[in-house]
Amino acid sequence: VMVNLCNYLVEPMSSIPQMLAERKAAKTLIDKLARDTEENAGREGEPLPAGKEVDLELNHVTFGYTAGQNALKDVSLRFVPGKSYAVVGASGSGKSTLLNLLMGSYDSYSGAICCNGKELRKVNPDSLYAQMSLVGQQVFIFDDTIRRNVTMFRDFPEEQVQNAMEQAGLLPVVAAHGEAFCGENGNRLSGGERQRIAIARCLLQGAKVLLADEATAALDAETARRVAESLLALEGITRIVVTHRLEPGVMNQYDQIIVMKNGMVYEIGSFEQLMERKGQFYALYTMANG
Ligand code: ADP
Ligand code: MG
């Protein structure tokens, strides 16, 4: 009995060192999470008016994730409401960073980012997220019908839902799929169909700016092209599309092409202008298309 009782004491005590080590390993992570949550919470700010155009402007924006290493250097850009922009450039050139800054993910930039003339740091984050929508490579799909995946279980007028699904090119998918469930994380849908759901969500939400970060990177060329064309066909919404697919017949449809290099805007212009210039974009484009 004595030995048995001792075991009750010794065994839990022997697990203490391991628990301490685990705690120590997790502590930096927990601290980082706490810092980030604190930074994001409690930001009040002025709300953006819903349903109005969003005019975005960057003025000499410099930003780095770590001190002394700038991911964006002196970037000045204006995104005119309703226009389409392609952002191209080598990996690590700062394309994702640009989108993250526009989404208000970081406050520690220098220069100014203005949203309808208001400094982004002073804009209420919730009202910003209602107006700006980011489509990434991974789209989260619930195991439910396509329709409910688009509405995200909220109530919208039927006409609005139909309209969003039509613009996103989802109607043929619904016709083929019907009311069937999409499977765990959408495994009964193709990559292109998942992306279309993300686009429809954004349209239904009434976002005025759609940001896409290599959204079609995981798709085959033909599907990627069709998704890109659906994006280009949207009206009344600013589209900022980061892409490494420089396809003929698609690139020339963007209003402006922004070429990033080493965190800077290296070239900007329409397809024709950039091709005529025979600079960086010309080199990337001719390399991609033989
Ligand atoms: P792109 O999207 O054009 O490939 P990114 O904007 O992701 O490039 O990255 C720009 C630079 O910033 C790169 O040098 C990258 O290593 C760095 N970077 C990106 N994200 C982070 C991060 N979360 N922490 C630190 N450095 C980062
Ligand atoms: Mg990126």
Coordinates of all heavy atoms in Angstrom, one line a residue, residues 204-255:
L204 N -22.1 38.9 -53.0 CA -23.3 38.9 -52.2 C -23.1 39.9 -51.0 O -24.0 40.6 -50.5 CB -23.6 37.5 -51.7 CG -25.0 37.3 -51.1 CD1 -26.0 37.7 -52.1 CD2 -25.2 35.9 -50.7
Q205 N -21.9 39.9 -50.4 CA -21.6 40.7 -49.3 C -21.6 42.2 -49.7 O -21.7 43.1 -48.8 CB -20.2 40.3 -48.8 CG -19.6 41.1 -47.7 CD -18.1 40.8 -47.5 OE1 -17.7 39.6 -47.7 NE2 -17.3 41.8 -47.2
G206 N -21.6 42.4 -51.0 CA -21.7 43.8 -51.5 C -20.3 44.5 -51.4 O -20.3 45.7 -51.3
A207 N -19.2 43.7 -51.4 CA -17.9 44.4 -51.3 C -17.7 45.2 -52.5 O -18.2 44.9 -53.6 CB -16.8 43.3 -51.2
K208 N -16.9 46.3 -52.4 CA -16.6 47.2 -53.5 C -15.2 47.0 -54.0 O -14.9 47.5 -55.1 CB -16.8 48.6 -53.0 CG -18.2 49.0 -52.8 CD -18.8 49.2 -54.2 CE -20.4 49.2 -54.1 NZ -21.0 49.1 -55.4
V209 N -14.4 46.2 -53.3 CA -13.1 45.9 -53.7 C -12.8 44.4 -53.5 O -13.1 43.9 -52.5 CB -12.0 46.7 -52.9 CG1 -10.6 46.4 -53.5 CG2 -12.3 48.2 -52.9
L210 N -12.4 43.8 -54.6 CA -12.1 42.4 -54.6 C -10.6 42.2 -54.8 O -10.0 42.6 -55.8 CB -12.9 41.6 -55.6 CG -13.0 40.1 -55.5 CD1 -14.1 39.6 -56.4 CD2 -11.7 39.4 -56.0
L211 N -9.9 41.6 -53.8 CA -8.5 41.3 -53.9 C -8.3 39.8 -54.1 O -8.9 39.0 -53.4 CB -7.8 41.8 -52.6 CG -8.1 43.2 -52.1 CD1 -7.7 43.4 -50.7 CD2 -7.3 44.2 -52.9
A212 N -7.5 39.5 -55.0 CA -7.2 38.0 -55.2 C -5.7 37.8 -55.2 O -5.0 38.5 -55.9 CB -7.8 37.6 -56.6
D213 N -5.3 36.9 -54.3 CA -3.8 36.7 -54.2 C -3.5 35.3 -54.8 O -3.7 34.3 -54.1 CB -3.4 36.8 -52.8 CG -1.9 36.8 -52.6 OD1 -1.2 36.7 -53.7 OD2 -1.4 37.0 -51.5
E214 N -3.0 35.3 -56.0 CA -2.7 34.0 -56.6 C -3.8 33.0 -56.5 O -3.6 31.8 -56.3 CB -1.4 33.4 -56.0 CG -0.2 34.3 -55.9 CD 0.8 34.1 -57.0 OE1 0.5 33.4 -58.0 OE2 1.9 34.7 -56.8
A215 N -5.0 33.5 -56.6 CA -6.2 32.7 -56.4 C -6.3 31.5 -57.3 O -6.8 30.4 -56.9 CB -7.5 33.6 -56.5
T216 N -5.8 31.7 -58.5 CA -5.9 30.6 -59.5 C -4.7 29.7 -59.6 O -4.6 28.9 -60.5 CB -6.3 31.1 -60.9 OG1 -5.3 32.0 -61.3 CG2 -7.6 31.9 -60.8
A217 N -3.7 29.9 -58.7 CA -2.4 29.2 -58.8 C -2.6 27.7 -58.8 O -1.8 27.0 -59.5 CB -1.5 29.7 -57.7
A218 N -3.5 27.2 -58.1 CA -3.6 25.7 -58.0 C -4.5 25.1 -59.1 O -4.7 23.9 -59.1 CB -4.2 25.4 -56.6
L219 N -5.0 26.0 -59.9 CA -6.0 25.5 -61.0 C -5.2 25.2 -62.3 O -4.2 25.7 -62.5 CB -7.0 26.5 -61.2 CG -7.8 27.0 -60.0 CD1 -8.8 28.0 -60.5 CD2 -8.5 25.9 -59.3
D220 N -5.8 24.3 -63.1 CA -5.2 24.1 -64.4 C -5.4 25.3 -65.3 O -6.3 26.2 -65.0 CB -5.9 22.9 -65.1 CG -7.3 23.1 -65.3 OD1 -8.1 22.8 -64.4 OD2 -7.7 23.5 -66.4
A221 N -4.7 25.5 -66.3 CA -4.6 26.7 -67.1 C -6.0 27.1 -67.6 O -6.4 28.3 -67.6 CB -3.7 26.5 -68.3
E222 N -6.8 26.1 -68.1 CA -8.1 26.5 -68.7 C -9.0 27.0 -67.7 O -9.7 28.0 -67.9 CB -8.6 25.2 -69.4 CG -9.9 25.4 -70.2 CD -9.9 26.5 -71.2 OE1 -8.8 26.8 -71.7 OE2 -11.0 27.1 -71.3
T223 N -9.1 26.3 -66.5 CA -10.0 26.7 -65.5 C -9.6 28.1 -65.0 O -10.4 29.0 -64.7 CB -10.0 25.7 -64.3 OG1 -10.1 24.4 -64.9 CG2 -11.2 25.9 -63.4
A224 N -8.3 28.3 -64.8 CA -7.7 29.5 -64.3 C -8.2 30.7 -65.2 O -8.5 31.8 -64.8 CB -6.2 29.5 -64.2
R225 N -8.1 30.4 -66.5 CA -8.5 31.4 -67.4 C -9.9 31.8 -67.3 O -10.3 33.0 -67.3 CB -8.2 30.9 -68.8 CG -8.4 31.8 -69.9 CD -8.4 31.1 -71.3 NE -8.6 32.1 -72.3 CZ -7.7 32.7 -72.9 NH1 -6.4 32.5 -72.6 NH2 -8.0 33.6 -73.8
R226 N -10.8 30.8 -67.1 CA -12.2 31.1 -67.0 C -12.5 31.9 -65.7 O -13.4 32.8 -65.7 CB -13.0 29.8 -67.1 CG -13.1 29.3 -68.5 CD -14.4 28.5 -68.7 NE -14.5 27.3 -67.9 CZ -14.0 26.1 -68.3 NH1 -13.4 26.0 -69.5 NH2 -14.1 25.1 -67.5
V227 N -11.8 31.5 -64.6 CA -12.0 32.3 -63.4 C -11.6 33.7 -63.5 O -12.3 34.6 -63.2 CB -11.3 31.6 -62.2 CG1 -11.4 32.5 -60.9 CG2 -11.9 30.2 -61.9
A228 N -10.4 33.9 -64.2 CA -9.9 35.2 -64.4 C -10.9 36.0 -65.3 O -11.1 37.2 -65.0 CB -8.5 35.1 -65.1
E229 N -11.5 35.4 -66.2 CA -12.4 36.1 -67.1 C -13.7 36.5 -66.3 O -14.3 37.5 -66.6 CB -12.7 35.3 -68.4 CG -11.5 35.4 -69.3 CD -11.6 34.9 -70.7 OE1 -12.4 34.0 -70.9 OE2 -10.9 35.5 -71.5
S230 N -14.1 35.6 -65.4 CA -15.3 36.0 -64.6 C -15.0 37.2 -63.8 O -15.8 38.1 -63.6 CB -15.7 34.8 -63.6 OG -15.8 33.6 -64.3
L231 N -13.7 37.2 -63.2 CA -13.3 38.4 -62.4 C -13.3 39.6 -63.2 O -13.8 40.7 -62.8 CB -11.9 38.2 -61.8 CG -11.8 37.3 -60.6 CD1 -10.3 37.1 -60.3 CD2 -12.6 37.9 -59.4
L232 N -12.8 39.5 -64.5 CA -12.7 40.7 -65.3 C -14.1 41.2 -65.8 O -14.2 42.4 -66.1 CB -11.8 40.3 -66.5 CG -10.3 40.4 -66.3 CD1 -9.5 39.6 -67.3 CD2 -9.9 41.9 -66.2
A233 N -15.0 40.3 -65.8 CA -16.4 40.7 -66.3 C -17.2 41.4 -65.2 O -18.2 42.0 -65.5 CB -17.1 39.5 -66.8
L234 N -16.8 41.3 -64.0 CA -17.5 42.0 -62.9 C -17.6 43.5 -63.1 O -16.6 44.1 -63.5 CB -16.9 41.7 -61.5 CG -16.8 40.2 -61.2 CD1 -16.1 40.0 -59.8 CD2 -18.2 39.5 -61.1
E235 N -18.7 44.0 -62.8 CA -18.9 45.5 -63.0 C -19.1 46.2 -61.6 O -19.7 45.6 -60.7 CB -20.1 45.8 -63.9 CG -19.6 45.7 -65.4 CD -20.8 45.7 -66.3 OE1 -21.9 46.2 -65.9 OE2 -20.6 45.3 -67.5
G236 N -18.6 47.4 -61.6 CA -18.8 48.3 -60.4 C -18.0 47.8 -59.2 O -18.4 48.1 -58.1
I237 N -17.0 47.1 -59.4 CA -16.2 46.6 -58.3 C -14.7 46.7 -58.7 O -14.3 46.3 -59.8 CB -16.7 45.2 -57.8 CG1 -15.8 44.6 -56.7 CG2 -16.7 44.2 -59.0 CD1 -16.5 43.4 -56.1
T238 N -13.9 47.2 -57.8 CA -12.5 47.3 -58.1 C -11.9 46.0 -57.9 O -12.1 45.3 -56.9 CB -11.8 48.3 -57.1 OG1 -12.6 49.5 -56.9 CG2 -10.4 48.7 -57.5
R239 N -11.1 45.5 -58.9 CA -10.4 44.2 -58.7 C -8.9 44.4 -58.7 O -8.4 45.0 -59.6 CB -10.8 43.3 -59.9 CG -12.3 42.8 -59.7 CD -13.0 42.9 -61.0 NE -13.2 44.3 -61.5 CZ -13.5 44.6 -62.7 NH1 -13.7 43.7 -63.6 NH2 -13.6 45.9 -63.0
I240 N -8.3 43.8 -57.7 CA -6.8 43.9 -57.7 C -6.3 42.4 -57.6 O -6.6 41.7 -56.6 CB -6.3 44.6 -56.4 CG1 -7.0 46.0 -56.4 CG2 -4.8 44.8 -56.4 CD1 -6.7 46.8 -55.2
V241 N -5.8 42.0 -58.7 CA -5.6 40.5 -58.9 C -4.1 40.2 -59.0 O -3.4 40.6 -59.9 CB -6.3 40.0 -60.2 CG1 -6.0 38.5 -60.4 CG2 -7.7 40.3 -60.1
V242 N -3.5 39.6 -58.0 CA -2.1 39.1 -58.0 C -2.1 37.8 -58.8 O -2.8 36.9 -58.5 CB -1.6 38.9 -56.6 CG1 -0.2 38.2 -56.7 CG2 -1.5 40.2 -55.8
T243 N -1.3 37.8 -59.9 CA -1.3 36.6 -60.7 C 0.1 36.4 -61.2 O 0.9 37.3 -61.5 CB -2.3 36.7 -61.8 OG1 -2.2 35.5 -62.6 CG2 -2.0 37.9 -62.7
H244 N 0.5 35.1 -61.4 CA 1.7 34.8 -62.1 C 1.4 34.2 -63.5 O 2.3 33.8 -64.2 CB 2.6 33.9 -61.3 CG 2.1 32.5 -61.2 ND1 1.3 32.1 -60.2 CD2 2.2 31.5 -62.0 CE1 0.9 30.9 -60.3 NE2 1.5 30.4 -61.4
R245 N 0.1 34.1 -63.8 CA -0.3 33.6 -65.1 C -0.4 34.8 -66.1 O -1.3 35.6 -66.0 CB -1.6 32.9 -65.1 CG -1.6 31.7 -64.3 CD -3.0 31.0 -64.3 NE -3.0 29.9 -63.4 CZ -2.7 28.7 -63.8 NH1 -2.3 28.4 -65.0 NH2 -2.8 27.7 -62.9
L246 N 0.6 34.9 -67.0 CA 0.6 36.0 -67.9 C 0.0 35.5 -69.3 O 0.8 35.4 -70.2 CB 2.0 36.6 -68.1 CG 2.7 36.9 -66.8 CD1 4.1 37.4 -67.0 CD2 1.9 38.0 -66.1
E247 N -1.3 35.3 -69.3 CA -1.9 34.7 -70.5 C -2.2 35.7 -71.5 O -2.8 36.7 -71.2 CB -3.1 33.9 -70.1 CG -2.8 32.5 -69.6 CD -3.9 31.6 -69.9 OE1 -4.1 31.3 -71.0 OE2 -4.5 31.2 -68.9
P248 N -1.9 35.4 -72.8 CA -2.4 36.3 -73.9 C -3.9 36.2 -73.9 O -4.5 35.2 -73.6 CB -1.8 35.7 -75.1 CG -1.1 34.4 -74.7 CD -1.2 34.2 -73.3
G249 N -4.5 37.4 -74.2 CA -6.0 37.4 -74.2 C -6.6 37.7 -72.9 O -7.8 38.0 -72.8
V250 N -5.8 37.5 -71.8 CA -6.3 37.8 -70.5 C -5.7 39.1 -70.0 O -6.3 40.1 -69.6 CB -6.1 36.7 -69.5 CG1 -6.6 37.1 -68.1 CG2 -6.9 35.4 -69.9
M251 N -4.3 39.1 -70.1 CA -3.6 40.3 -69.5 C -4.0 41.6 -70.1 O -4.1 42.6 -69.5 CB -2.1 40.1 -69.8 CG -1.4 39.1 -68.9 SD -1.9 39.1 -67.2 CE -1.0 40.5 -66.6
N252 N -4.4 41.6 -71.4 CA -4.7 42.9 -72.1 C -6.1 43.4 -71.7 O -6.5 44.4 -72.0 CB -4.6 42.7 -73.6 CG -5.5 41.6 -74.1 OD1 -5.9 40.7 -73.4 ND2 -5.8 41.6 -75.4
Q253 N -6.8 42.5 -70.9 CA -8.2 43.0 -70.4 C -8.1 43.8 -69.2 O -9.1 44.4 -68.8 CB -9.1 41.8 -70.2 CG -9.4 41.1 -71.5 CD -10.5 40.0 -71.3 OE1 -11.5 40.2 -70.7 NE2 -10.2 38.8 -71.7
Y254 N -7.0 43.7 -68.5 CA -6.9 44.5 -67.2 C -6.7 46.0 -67.6 O -6.0 46.3 -68.6 CB -5.7 44.1 -66.4 CG -5.9 42.7 -65.7 CD1 -5.4 41.6 -66.3 CD2 -6.6 42.6 -64.6 CE1 -5.6 40.3 -65.7 CE2 -6.8 41.4 -63.9 CZ -6.3 40.3 -64.5 OH -6.5 39.0 -63.9
D255 N -7.3 46.9 -66.8 CA -7.1 48.3 -67.1 C -5.7 48.7 -66.8 O -5.2 49.5 -67.6 CB -8.1 49.1 -66.1 CG -9.5 48.9 -66.5 OD1 -9.8 49.0 -67.7 OD2 -10.3 48.6 -65.6

